[in-house]
Amino acid sequence: MTIELHNNVYCEGEGIPVVLVHGFPVDHRMWNKCADALKTTAAEHGVKQFPIWAPDMPGAGEGPIPSDENSGGKDTDGAFPNGLDRMADAYVDLLHAAGYDKAIWVGLSMGGYLILDIQRLHPGAVAALALCDTKAAADSEKMRAKRIAIAEECESTGTHEPVMGFAAATPEDSTIKQSDAYREQFTAWINEQPAEGIAWRERMAAGRPDLNDVLSTITAPVAVICGDKDPSSPPSVMAPIVDAMTATSTDMTVVFDCGHFSAYEHPQAVADALLALVRRVQ
């Protein structure tokens, strides 16, 4: 009764793998430009090529949608209280099956929830962490209920409409998010996701535990990266995360004129921060 993952390998190499964990409601392709920039920049700096992976989360891209049983069962409201833990186990199993003990885990938004849970459950598998545009807190009751409602609507109607706001922009958003290219790309990516997969990820996120207590336990090197115009995880949200990680050294990068999907909007800036983290541990 395990969760299956579909791994996407950007490159092979030597040393510790960099595992990129995507955000919601898209799949691993949000990392395409950043992964290419990381590989190219590493070569330019004389860093020996290392593995770069980006698995699809369950229900994203080509990631199989787990059964309720394999997700650890549902709460009475429909959330998966064990879903994040089961997914964290699956990512570490993937790493170990490939013959590696540790990885540099990079998580953006929902991906950040996952890598913090890996730190909680499998600290021995963590060589370093990069927390991008994310948070450690569990959902509020209102947000949890909203996620469940979205999951139910997606499952019952097959619609993607409840999450299409991720492709829309406001006048306060970054220049890139306000562009036609961003809207068209994210609209396409969201529409290509299975509606049941969107629902699974919402139920998983709704049931996840609060991970603030994990922050003080981290001893591996950490990078914190966020956009200055991120509406949900701006510097004012990310800076307290840095302050809470008292047992390690943390480098914080604020990417200017940048929204929530920093690795897509400014792939080179994020790649530069990730390479600095890689060079601390490789």
Side-chain angles (χ1 to χ4, degrees):
M1 294 191 300
T2 58
I3 285 179
E4 297 179 31
L5 297 174
H6 177 83
N7 195 17
N8 302 280
V9 179
Y10 286 109
C11 65
E12 298 287 5
E14 300 177 14
I16 301 171
V18 173
V19 182
L20 307 172
V21 188
H22 63 81
F24 176 84
V26 293
D27 56 40
H28 79 279
R29 290 173 292 178
M30 58 146 286
W31 289 109
N32 284 352
K33 293 180 180 179
C34 186
D36 287 344
L38 178 58
K39 179 181 177 181
T40 300
T41 305
E44 291 172 350
H45 285 79
V47 177
K48 187 175 293 187
Q49 184 171 303
F50 47 86
I52 303 175
W53 304 345
D56 282 321
M57 278 190 184
E62 297 184 56
I65 303 171
S67 66
D68 289 1
E69 182 181 15
N70 286 354
S71 304
K74 283 181 179 175
D75 277 338
T76 55
D77 66 354
F80 289 130
N82 303 303
L84 184 63
D85 290 357
R86 293 288 181 94
M87 185 164 59
D89 291 344
Y91 271 76
V92 174
D93 287 346
L94 178 73
L95 177 74
H96 290 167
Y100 297 97
D101 295 327
K102 296 175 181 284
I104 298 168
W105 301 97
V106 183
L108 188 144
S109 192
M110 190 177 283
Y113 310 160
L114 176 72
I115 69 170
L116 282 175
D117 206 43
I118 289 173
Q119 169 66 37
R120 181 175 73 92
L121 297 174
H122 305 281
V126 176
L129 295 171
L131 297 167
C132 308
D133 303 284
T134 191
K135 61 182 179 180
D139 281 345
S140 65
E141 290 186 11
K142 181 178 180 181
M143 185 63 198
R144 177 175 171 132
K146 180 179 179 181
R147 288 192 194 272
I148 299 302
I150 289 172
E152 291 174 347
E153 183 175 356
C154 290
E155 287 171 338
S156 63
T157 68
T159 185
H160 297 79
E161 190 57 35
V163 297
M164 292 309 298
F166 284 92
T170 70
E172 291 74 38
D173 281 318
S174 65
T175 302
I176 291 175
K177 188 173 182 184
Q178 293 187 57
S179 68
D180 290 342
Y182 183 102
R183 175 180 53 79
E184 292 167 4
Q185 181 64 87
F186 273 73
T187 297
W189 279 343
I190 293 169
N191 281 326
E192 288 165 5
Q193 306 303 311
E196 297 86 353
I198 289 173
W200 187 90
R201 285 183 279 165
E202 287 283 54
R203 293 186 187 278
M204 175 275 297
R208 75 188 190 279
D210 190 284
L211 296 167
N212 276 300
D213 288 347
V214 175
L215 298 174
S216 63
T217 72
I218 299 170
T219 58
V222 179
V224 170
I225 304 165
C226 65
D228 65 331
K229 294 186 176 181
D230 185 335
S232 57
S233 300
S236 60
V237 170
M238 299 296 288
I241 291 177
V242 175
D243 293 340
M245 291 187 285
T246 54
T248 187
S249 57
T250 306
D251 291 333
M252 182 167 178
T253 299
V254 177
V255 185
F256 293 96
D257 193 18
C258 181
H260 189 57
F261 285 89
S262 56
Y264 174 83
E265 293 191 39
H266 292 276
Q268 187 63 59
V270 175
D272 289 344
L274 295 181
L275 181 59
L277 181 64
V278 169
R279 296 181 80 173
R280 292 169 66 185
V281 298
Q282 291 281 34

